[in-house]
């Protein structure tokens, strides 16, 4: 019997960004995850869009797992309201824990950290180390630069044409939530020992 996704990792900015649409999208995504019964896995902070998405899930009665490296506990102002918080010894172990805990990944708008996290997950998928879905939730064009970077890699001959299928771009939180509701957890075993 299909069970659907249980946990979704969200990568997003530790700042709110300039456009109020970013905050609105994070709120809508968090609320929708809670209503769908999908646990949020995220970076454990209470600031920026990270805090917005976690607060929205909690306000709607959903479950949250935060994963934060010890050295960022103060800088990212660790969220003390989340249900489950794992403190890791490094950025690398944080990313691995988030990867292992999630059935799928969503990128909301963010900065370099967000980009780093989602590109790493996409790269691991390109290497065949996992087959978990990666969704880019586009808010006012926020997903365009990463799409353009991948298209440029393909045009320059540094990636296969089908690399564009490693992730999906959805227009806003409603479309992202609708797609999440259709997805099933990957049956392919994730090869964490190679990460
Ligand atoms: P940002 O998008 O830069 O606001 O960062 C969002 C998240 O990415 C935060 O949880 C940061 O801790 C994390 N982050 C920031 N810089 C890096 C980095 N160089 N490598 C991995 N993660 C990062």
């Amino acid at each position: 019997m299909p069970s659907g996704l249980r946990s979704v990792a969200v990568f997003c900015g530790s700042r709110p960004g300039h456009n109020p649409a970013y905050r609105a999208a994070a709120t809508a995504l968090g609320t929708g995850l809670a209503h769908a019964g999908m646990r949020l896995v995220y970076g454990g902070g209470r600031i920026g869009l990270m805090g917005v998405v976690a607060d929205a899930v909690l306000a709607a009665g959903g479950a949250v797992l935060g994963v934060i490296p010890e050295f960022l506990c103060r800088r990212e102002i660790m969220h003390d309201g989340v249900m489950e918080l794992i403190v890791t010894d490094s950025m690398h172990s944080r990313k691995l824990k988030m990867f292992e805990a999630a059935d799928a990944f969503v990128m909301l708008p963010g900065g370099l950290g967000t980009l780093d996290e989602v590109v790493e997950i996409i790269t691991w998928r390109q290497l065949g180390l996992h087959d978990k879905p990666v969704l880019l939730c586009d808010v006012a064009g926020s997903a365009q630069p990463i799409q353009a970077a991948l298209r440029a890699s393909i045009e320059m001959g540094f990636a296969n044409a089908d690399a564009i299928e490693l992730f999906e771009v959805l227009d806003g939180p409603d479309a992202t939530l609708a797609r999440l509701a259709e997805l099933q957890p990957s049956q392919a075993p994730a090869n964490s020992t190679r990460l």
Side-chain angles (χ1 to χ4, degrees):
M1 199 182 104
S3 51
L5 302 177
R6 288 162 311 229
S7 292
V8 175
V10 175
F11 302 126
C12 60
S14 55
R15 302 179 190 201
H18 294 314
N19 188 338
Y22 304 146
R23 190 184 280 273
T27 302
L29 185 74
T31 306
L33 287 176
H35 289 164
M38 295 175 192
R39 180 180 67 157
L40 169 72
V41 177
Y42 87 116
R46 69 158 71 218
I47 55 174
L49 294 190
M50 297 172 71
V52 173
V53 74
D55 285 342
V57 175
L58 292 169
V64 179
L65 168 66
V67 185
I68 193 163
E70 207 267 322
F71 85 99
L72 279 183
C73 280
R74 279 189 71 174
R75 202 166 123 196
E76 296 206 340
I77 322 186
M78 193 165 75
H79 200 308
D80 49 21
V82 303
M83 303 170 95
E84 242 187 302
L85 194 73
I86 297 176
V87 179
T88 64
D89 59 2
S90 70
M91 294 296 270
H92 284 296
S93 46
R94 174 207 230 180
K95 289 201 267 190
L96 190 57
K97 274 265 176 292
M98 289 178 71
F99 167 75
E100 289 171 340
D103 299 318
F105 306 91
V106 173
M107 185 188 83
L108 279 172
L112 284 177
T114 303
L115 213 48
D116 168 85
E117 289 162 338
V118 78
V119 167
E120 186 158 45
I121 292 292
I122 293 168
T123 308
W124 290 349
R125 196 174 190 200
Q126 178 176 244
L127 293 170
L129 298 174
H130 73 90
D131 198 24
K132 301 182 185 186
V134 183
L135 309 187
L136 310 190
C137 176
D138 185 76
V139 184
S142 62
Q144 282 171 15
I146 183 168
Q147 278 182 289
L150 181 58
R151 281 201 205 100
S153 298
I154 294 169
E155 275 163 29
M156 289 186 286
F158 292 113
N160 287 334
D162 62 4
I164 209 82
E165 290 160 23
L166 292 167
F167 58 81
E168 294 176 55
V169 181
L170 285 311
D171 186 17
D174 291 349
T176 303
L177 288 161
R179 183 66 184 126
L180 287 171
E182 292 171 356
L183 292 166
Q184 294 295 318
S186 164
Q187 297 305 311
N191 202 337
S192 298
T193 54
R194 296 201 172 145
L195 298 174

